[in-house]
Amino acid sequence: MLTNLERRMLEFIGNYLREHSGRAPTISEIGRGCGVKSVGTVHRYLKSIETKGFLERARSGWRTLLAPNELPFVGKIAAGRPLEAIEQAEAIDLVSQLIQPDCFVLQVDGDSMDAKGIQDGDYVVVKSTESARNGEIVVALVNSEATLKEYRRSANDELIELIPHSHNPEHSKQVYESEQVQIQGVLTGVVRTTP
């Protein structure tokens, strides 16, 4: 886990790289940007960040290798009645929650799952599998076309329902014979990059 100063340094380097077309900041620039006067202190923190796997030394300077794996978990937020605000000093490891073996990412195009919180433009993390349980959200291939829907197999295994969850009444349940549907994967996470 990164310390607060390490995280600030890593964010400074990432922002600097974006603003300067990939050119890395000097150790002095990192120090000035993070309010650290000693070049030796900056170097020590950079080595620590590198050891933790967030930076890689390049010939021209430091470059960001990975974004931080953890974000601070500061507590719960009410979606109903307000809760007492109590800050918690924990971190959530997003990488281990979203990135698992045999996973891939797709970008959602459409609103057929918006009632499940999966909106147009979101990225979905999908674990590759050829089978699914009733109620799971799957990537299904139907007649060479892929779709993201809730999966439901009939009791006699002859039919498969692909169920949308949308506020848009134009979307309706799709029913296919089981041999028409190939499961490509099961949803494990949703990433939204815009509000």
Side-chain angles (χ1 to χ4, degrees), residues 135-155:
E136 289 185 311
I137 296 175
V138 301
V139 172
L141 196 62
V142 182
N143 302 323
S144 302
E145 294 183 348
T147 187
L148 184 73
K149 300 284 184 290
E150 180 186 331
Y151 173 86
R152 187 129 344 247
R153 183 180 280 275
S154 65

Side-chain angles (χ1 to χ4, degrees), residues 53-186:
F54 292 97
L55 282 179
E56 183 178 271
R57 180 76 172 168
R59 278 176 289 181
S60 61
W62 294 95
R63 67 179 177 88
T64 302
L65 178 64
L66 297 170
N69 289 356
E70 297 180 340
L71 291 176
F73 173 70
V74 296
K76 295 181 180 179
I77 183 70
R81 283 173 124 176
L83 290 172
E84 181 182 358
I86 301 172
E87 188 166 333
Q88 299 182 7
E90 294 180 46
I92 300 293
D93 184 347
L94 298 175
V95 171
S96 66
Q97 290 196 14
L98 289 176
I99 300 177
Q100 302 169 23
D102 301 321
C103 283
F104 58 94
V105 175
L106 296 168
Q107 187 171 25
V108 176
D109 182 11
D111 63 355
S112 71
M113 297 300 286
D114 62 355
K116 284 278 191 186
I118 304 170
Q119 298 179 5
D120 184 43
D122 286 353
Y123 293 93
V124 290
V125 180
V126 179
K127 184 169 180 65
S128 292
T129 182
E130 294 179 359
S131 63
R133 295 188 306 264
N134 283 346
E136 289 185 311
I137 296 175
V138 301
V139 172
L141 196 62
V142 182
N143 302 323
S144 302
E145 294 183 348
T147 187
L148 184 73
K149 300 284 184 290
E150 180 186 331
Y151 173 86
R152 187 129 344 247
R153 183 180 280 275
S154 65
N156 62 8
D157 287 344
E158 291 180 7
L159 298 176
I160 292 177
E161 297 176 351
L162 298 177
I163 305 166
H165 290 274
S166 180
H167 301 295
N168 183 342
E170 291 181 19
H171 298 292
S172 59
K173 177 172 60 175
Q174 303 160 8
V175 181
Y176 300 96
E177 294 181 13
S178 58
E179 60 270 7
Q180 290 180 277
V181 178
Q182 293 178 311
I183 302 302
Q184 303 290 297
V186 174

